[in-house]
């Protein structure tokens, strides 16, 4: 057990797929894993371990934002000896450079957040994916005939804001989309010498207010889930 995860030592696999939403973790476990076992449900943040094509894989939620993914990824890496976390999430597009349903493989995550500075003494405002899992995702996408665009993204603390203009940091680092977790995950993985990647599906376009409907989400996220699972096999 760790402070926020009640699984026993050994009940979490070396590779973890991490959606933001606990119910998405449940959906993936029930629809894509074999013999999935619920190993933690502390605070309603579900973690499951099962097998995919014979390989043991865990899937569990990060929650939203750096504080939440910071806690779960740190405990997975340090208390459960997890080697690799693949975040699978959604993002909002800042412009028509990205389209609804696009899949992005995050190369770098830029943020105004002080999370990495105050957690680990890192001064950078941009962090790269960690280890070789990003390259494995790119190779796997090609094998599957999927387009997973390697891109920088903005990781923000803010979902609702007064000023609708694209934040300066997104322009500075050429980030066509925004989410709220990758920067925290990459900073933790860098500090601990672990592997981390983030795959995102574009769920909304901010200036046009287009979005993927709740009904479309399940089908929309399937290619990203399969990409993450196939990459996790390698
Ligand atoms: N995740 C999905 N859409 C988002 C948005 N518009 N802003 C931040 N995170 C998001």
């Amino acid at each position: 057990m760790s402070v926020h995860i009640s699984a026993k030592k050994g009940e979490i696999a070396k590779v973890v797929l991490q959606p933001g939403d606990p119910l998405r973790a449940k959906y993936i476990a029930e629809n894509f894993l074999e013999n999935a076992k619920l190993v933690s449900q502390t605070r309603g943040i579900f973690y499951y371990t099962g097998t995919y094509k014979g390989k043991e894989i865990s899937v569990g939620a990060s929650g939203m934002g750096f504080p939440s993914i910071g806690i779960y990824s740190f405990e997975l890496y340090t208390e459960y000896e997890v080697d690799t976390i693949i975040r699978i999430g959604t993002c909002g597009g800042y412009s028509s450079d990205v389209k609804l349903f696009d899949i992005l493989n995050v190369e770098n995550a830029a943020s105004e957040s002080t999370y990495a500075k105050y957690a680990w003494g890192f001064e950078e405002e941009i962090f790269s994916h960690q280890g070789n899992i990003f390259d494995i995702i790119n190779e796997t996408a090609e094998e599957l005939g999927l387009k997973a665009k390697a891109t920088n993204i903005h990781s923000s603390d803010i979902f609702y804001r007064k000023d609708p203009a694209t934040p300066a940091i997104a322009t500075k680092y050429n980030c066509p989309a925004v989410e709220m977790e990758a920067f925290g995950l990459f900073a933790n993985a860098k500090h601990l010498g672990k592997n981390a990647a983030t795959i995102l599906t574009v769920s909304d376009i901010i200036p046009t207010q287009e979005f993927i409907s709740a009904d479309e989400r399940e089908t929309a996220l399937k290619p990203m889930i399969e990409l993450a699972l196939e990459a996790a096999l390698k």
Side-chain angles (χ1 to χ4, degrees):
M1 274 177 75
S2 62
V3 177
H4 301 88
I5 303 173
S6 55
K8 298 192 198 86
K9 300 258 181 208
E11 283 188 326
I12 301 237
K14 296 284 175 212
V15 182
V16 176
L17 263 55
Q18 202 170 39
D21 177 357
L23 291 178
R24 196 159 305 137
K26 182 172 188 279
Y27 166 78
I28 295 168
E30 288 174 354
N31 291 279
F32 294 85
L33 297 186
E34 282 132 37
N35 303 315
K37 180 181 165 200
L38 179 64
V39 293
S40 181
Q41 52 183 326
T42 307
R43 290 175 182 249
I45 295 284
F46 304 129
Y47 275 82
Y48 293 84
T49 299
T51 58
Y52 179 73
K53 297 188 177 173
K55 178 162 177 171
E56 188 176 72
I57 288 176
S58 294
V59 56
S62 67
M64 289 184 283
F66 306 130
S68 192
I69 199 163
I71 287 170
Y72 290 104
S73 62
F74 186 82
E75 292 182 18
L76 290 168
Y77 285 139
T78 60
E79 303 276 340
Y80 293 96
E81 293 164 32
V82 168
D83 292 330
T84 303
I85 296 178
I86 306 174
R87 161 165 156 69
I88 43 175
T90 57
C91 62
Y94 280 131
S95 71
S96 49
D97 287 351
V98 290
K99 309 260 180 291
L100 289 183
F101 303 102
D102 277 359
I103 298 177
L104 311 178
N105 186 12
V106 176
E107 192 152 17
N108 301 284
S111 187
E112 315 87 335
S113 166
T114 54
Y115 173 85
K117 177 175 176 182
Y118 288 105
W120 314 122
F122 291 143
E123 297 291 341
E124 298 95 314
E125 54 184 11
I126 185 160
F127 288 102
S128 179
H129 64 88
Q130 298 293 306
N132 64 355
I133 185 67
F134 167 88
D135 292 328
I136 292 172
I137 290 165
N138 279 336
E139 287 158 23
T140 309
E142 253 184 53
E143 285 162 19
L144 295 174
L146 275 178
K147 201 156 183 278
K149 194 173 166 193
T151 189
N152 290 355
I153 51 111
H154 176 205
S155 284
S156 181
D157 270 335
I158 300 161
F159 190 87
Y160 299 107
R161 59 174 81 232
K162 184 166 75 176
D163 183 354
T166 298
I169 194 159
T171 309
K172 180 175 174 188
Y173 291 107
N174 208 3
C175 304
V178 56
E179 52 83 88
M180 306 181 79
E181 291 82 19
F183 178 88
L185 172 63
F186 292 173
N188 276 6
K190 183 179 164 84
H191 171 68
L192 297 167
K194 299 280 189 171
N195 304 299
T198 293
I199 315 175
L200 301 169
T201 300
V202 178
S203 62
D204 53 283
I205 306 292
I206 295 166
T208 60
Q209 298 187 351
E210 296 163 85
F211 61 90
I212 296 178
S213 71
D215 289 350
E216 287 171 320
R217 269 188 184 235
E218 211 168 275
T219 343
L221 301 182
K222 219 172 155 196
M224 172 175 71
I225 294 166
E226 280 167 352
L227 173 57
L229 285 166
E230 289 292 326
L233 287 180
K234 298 190 174 159

